[in-house]
Amino acid sequence: MKMCIDDLHKTYQFCKTTGKFKEKKIDLELIKSLTLVAVKCLEFIKEKSKNIPPDSTDWTFVFRDYYESLRGLIEAYLLFEGIEADNHQCKNAYICFKHPEMELDWEFLEMVRLKRNAINYRGQLLQYADWKIFKLKLELHISALRTEITEKLKNS
């Protein structure tokens, strides 16, 4: 599953110099709402996935919903800093570049972004074996973001 992953620093600089990062008013209600949607989406898809047979390509949609939850949490986190970005790659670059202490894996975030694009734009389908490759790291990234957002909301 070799993919060409762009360099984090170059991507961050490109996003910055081309105006992909935008200032946005810090909106705690929007942060709460985005976080709630991400959490509800995960609860829903976890329940649904219990009935998906291993040989089904419906694992594609489990992956995509996990990705959307992850993306929503990244968006919510960036809002604490009054930042939004024009695309998923720039959002990933911002959070990884500005917050190395969170230990989010830039290459992994890019890999799942590219896989999601292959699903949405090229009609690629996933099997259970494909999903298993991504599941644990998706859950770890989601958990880290949820923890950080919860902490920031408590202190806001």
Side-chain angles (χ1 to χ4, degrees), residues 102-133:
M102 289 182 66
E103 299 181 348
L104 298 177
D105 182 341
W106 162 252
E107 290 188 6
F108 177 75
L109 291 177
E110 279 296 279
M111 188 173 25
V112 294
R113 180 185 68 81
L114 292 168
K115 182 59 73 178
R116 178 261 188 192
N117 287 352
I119 291 166
N120 282 7
Y121 306 125
R122 292 191 298 285
Q124 190 175 89
L125 295 172
L126 302 181
Q127 298 286 335
Y128 182 71
D130 302 313
W131 161 239
K132 289 294 284 181
I133 292 168

Side-chain angles (χ1 to χ4, degrees), residues 39-112:
V39 170
K40 290 284 188 191
C41 178
L42 284 172
E43 289 170 358
F44 179 80
I45 200 61
K46 281 180 182 180
E47 190 59 36
K48 281 289 205 196
S49 67
K50 291 176 183 176
N51 299 318
I52 301 173
D55 62 344
S56 172
T57 56
D58 286 351
W59 294 103
T60 305
F61 310 108
V62 175
F63 170 86
R64 199 166 62 181
D65 282 353
Y66 266 76
Y67 176 84
E68 287 304 317
S69 292
L70 174 66
R71 186 192 56 74
L73 292 170
I74 291 171
E75 192 170 317
Y77 186 87
L78 295 183
L79 286 174
F80 280 112
E81 298 181 12
I83 294 292
E84 67 178 1
D86 284 352
N87 60 54
H88 299 189
Q89 185 179 40
C90 289
K91 289 175 189 180
N92 294 346
Y94 186 94
I95 199 166
C96 289
F97 187 83
K98 290 289 200 174
H99 297 284
E101 75 282 0
M102 289 182 66
E103 299 181 348
L104 298 177
D105 182 341
W106 162 252
E107 290 188 6
F108 177 75
L109 291 177
E110 279 296 279
M111 188 173 25
V112 294

Side-chain angles (χ1 to χ4, degrees), residues 2-20:
K2 188 69 178 143
M3 297 179 180
C4 184
I5 305 296
D6 295 333
D7 178 75
L8 170 60
H9 292 80
K10 287 180 184 173
T11 302
Y12 175 82
Q13 290 305 324
F14 174 80
C15 294
K16 185 177 175 182
T17 58
T18 58
K20 302 291 186 201

